[in-house]
Amino acid sequence: MIPSGRRPACLCGAAAVMLMTNPCRAGVWDVTPLTGLVTDWSNNPALLYVEHEAQARAAAVFEAPTTYTGDALDLTLAPRVRLSDGGGYSSVISNYQRFDAKGDFYADRDVLTASANYSRDSSLYYDYTLNGSAGVERNSIKGDLTWTRHLTERCDFDIDVDSSKVRYGRPDQGSATLTDYSYSVLSSDVTWLESERNKFTFSPSASLYKSLNGQTKSTEGSLQLGFTRQLTELWTFNALMGYSRSYNRLDIEESFLVLTSQGPVIETIPFDLKSTQNGTVFSAILSRNAPTWRFTALASRQLVPSGFAFLSHQDAYEADLIYPRNERLTFNAQARYVRSQDPSFQGQYTSRIVRFITAGTTWRWTENWSISLNAVRAAEDISSIHVSPATTEVSLQLARQFNPIRF
């Protein structure tokens, strides 16, 4: 078994081996550079529930998506950088550096997909709930390897290995409440196409979540059954439901004062505290995919990694809408509601609700120039300390996409 700390590197190595397969087959490289300027105003950029000031920020954005298309190999590289005039990670429009790589290798009945991701960013979803600060640095690296086998015309089998490691920065004020962690998942799917419209799925999985300081660990196993129905040519419904069980372990040390013949001595004794989390998990997705407008509605209940002591119980509801008015003008909207039960080292749970609504539009001014306007409303309810910080944000971006460079 590969040690968890080396799994992302090993997965990236496997991706490199895959990408070097069949080097004699020529392919085409395409690079489409993009650069832009974005400005942002927020009335509560750090999502604080104490006295704060509104801020206006500006940033430069650089992207260079690169694709390679060959006979049996597709490769995508996506470096992205944003440099803010404020610097650091203390505002909503903060600096970030991201790099995504993905390779798909095709054989007669097999597809092998390897991907890697590096990100240095901050987000409203990675916050310190005790002081309300949302602008904390989040460094993550992730590797994923998936193999899909077409067993018959109606039956497919795939196995997926996913591993990630996350490290958080420290808040400018208050104490840190998020813990650096690693998370690894081994999952498999067996799908059977019962008819042109119906598909069934059997999905077992196992995961390991642990803090990098070695103090906590959660081992989870789940078994789910899924059903996909093509309602019409445009509408699809997908449901997955099952049972999940996790075993939690907390390693602590207790100090005692012991009287000896030489006098009082403090002795430290290690303890292992264990607990379990059981319950149903599910996801349901209703989607419409068409050139006129696209819509997706999602409801799910999962145990997810969150930077707290153990896996968090999370119920999520989301709706996404994309409406291309014409070739130049596109509207989009998203609403998201997340209810989390986050476990602490003391075994208690903190209830947290995040509400997120955004609406925007993109106008393609010319073939290469585009303007995007977005408005966001985000709010968080933290029941343990009875606070509800919220923020309203408006951003405007001017982007220049260059003509593809092919070689």
Side-chain angles (χ1 to χ4, degrees):
M1 181 177 290
I2 301 172
S4 61
R6 298 177 57 189
R7 284 173 185 162
C10 293
L11 291 174
C12 295
V17 173
M18 182 197 73
L19 299 179
M20 292 187 292
T21 307
N22 294 335
C24 60
R25 295 187 177 183
V28 178
W29 288 91
D30 282 295
V31 183
T32 309
L34 181 145
T35 184
L37 295 175
V38 57
T39 181
D40 178 279
W41 175 87
S42 174
N43 68 345
N44 189 3
L47 203 63
L48 298 174
Y49 56 83
V50 294
E51 186 177 352
H52 57 272
E53 296 181 356
Q55 290 185 18
R57 295 292 186 186
V61 180
F62 306 93
E63 300 181 8
T66 303
T67 60
Y68 171 85
T69 305
D71 293 337
L73 173 65
D74 292 336
L75 173 65
T76 302
L77 305 175
R80 292 168 291 169
V81 176
R82 185 169 72 185
L83 302 176
S84 169
D85 64 344
Y89 301 85
S90 60
S91 65
V92 176
I93 187 169
S94 61
N95 292 338
Y96 67 60
Q97 299 89 41
R98 302 170 184 167
F99 181 78
D100 298 292
K102 180 182 178 183
D104 296 298
F105 176 76
Y106 304 95
D108 291 338
R109 302 177 66 177
D110 301 277
V111 179
L112 183 64
T113 300
S115 62
N117 166 270
Y118 168 78
S119 177
R120 188 178 184 186
D121 199 355
S122 66
S123 169
L124 289 172
Y125 291 109
Y126 311 117
D127 62 314
Y128 286 83
T129 57
L130 294 186
N131 58 28
S133 178
V136 293
E137 182 179 339
R138 182 180 187 268
N139 292 281
S140 67
I141 183 171
K142 179 179 180 180
D144 183 84
L145 187 64
T146 303
W147 171 56
T148 301
R149 172 73 173 178
H150 300 289
L151 301 176
T152 67
E153 293 182 355
R154 292 178 171 237
C155 187
D156 291 343
F157 168 81
D158 72 70
I159 186 168
D160 181 87
V161 181
D162 183 302
S163 186
S164 60
K165 182 179 292 186
V166 176
R167 296 182 183 274
Y168 294 97
R170 294 294 173 258
D172 295 332
Q173 55 182 334
S175 59
T177 61
L178 295 179
T179 303
D180 302 338
Y181 70 86
S182 65
Y183 184 61
S184 301
V185 182
L186 174 63
S187 60
S188 178
D189 291 327
V190 179
T191 60
W192 177 54
L193 189 63
E194 186 269 337
S195 66
E196 293 182 356
R197 291 194 171 189
N198 298 331
K199 183 172 67 175
F200 295 92
T201 305
F202 174 71
S203 303
S205 67
S207 68
L208 174 62
Y209 172 84
K210 61 180 181 179
S211 58
L212 296 185
N213 59 15
Q215 191 172 2
T216 68
K217 181 170 66 174
S218 292
T219 304
E220 183 217 5
S222 68
L223 186 63
Q224 299 185 71
L225 297 177
F227 173 70
T228 301
R229 170 71 174 178
Q230 189 73 38
L231 303 175
T232 67
E233 292 183 358
L234 301 179
W235 289 92
T236 303
F237 175 74
N238 178 278
L240 199 65
M241 178 173 288
Y243 181 80
S244 176
R245 182 179 180 87
S246 68
Y247 298 88
N248 302 323
R249 176 174 174 175
L250 171 63
D251 295 331
I252 60 174
E253 293 182 346
E254 292 286 348
S255 298
F256 298 92
L257 182 63
V258 180
L259 298 177
T260 66
S261 57
Q262 288 79 24
V265 176
I266 297 178
E267 292 188 358
T268 302
I269 301 176
F271 287 92
D272 293 334
L273 301 181
K274 300 179 181 180
S275 62
T276 60
Q277 294 173 282
N278 306 311
T280 58
V281 291
F282 67 86
S283 65
I285 302 174
L286 178 66
S287 60
R288 183 187 192 274
N289 192 1
T292 51
W293 57 279
R294 298 186 293 275
F295 172 79
T296 302
L298 164 70
S300 68
R301 172 174 295 170
Q302 304 290 337
L303 288 174
V304 299
S306 57
F308 294 95
F310 303 104
L311 292 170
S312 296
H313 293 267
Q314 187 178 96
D315 294 334
Y317 306 90
E318 182 176 331
D320 296 271
L321 175 66
I322 299 176
Y323 173 53
R325 179 67 178 82
N326 51 48
E327 293 182 354
R328 290 192 171 187
L329 185 63
T330 301
F331 297 94
N332 63 84
Q334 181 189 73
R336 182 173 173 83
Y337 176 92
V338 179
R339 182 173 61 244
S340 294
Q341 294 289 331
D342 304 316
S344 66
F345 290 98
Q346 292 77 25
Q348 299 174 341
Y349 283 82
T350 299
S351 178
R352 185 166 53 102
I353 295 176
V354 176
R355 296 183 302 276
F356 182 88
I357 300 175
T358 179
T361 181
T362 299
W363 178 48
R364 188 169 288 278
W365 180 15
T366 67
E367 184 179 353
N368 299 104
W369 288 92
S370 63
I371 299 175
S372 299
L373 176 66
N374 287 280
V376 176
R377 175 66 177 178
E380 183 177 29
D381 296 332
I382 309 170
S383 61
S384 60
I385 48 180
H386 306 289
V387 296
S388 300
T391 180
T392 300
E393 174 191 357
V394 179
S395 64
L396 178 67
Q397 176 174 297
L398 174 65
R400 169 68 157 87
Q401 180 175 296
F402 296 88
N403 294 326
I405 303 171
R406 178 167 293 185
F407 55 92

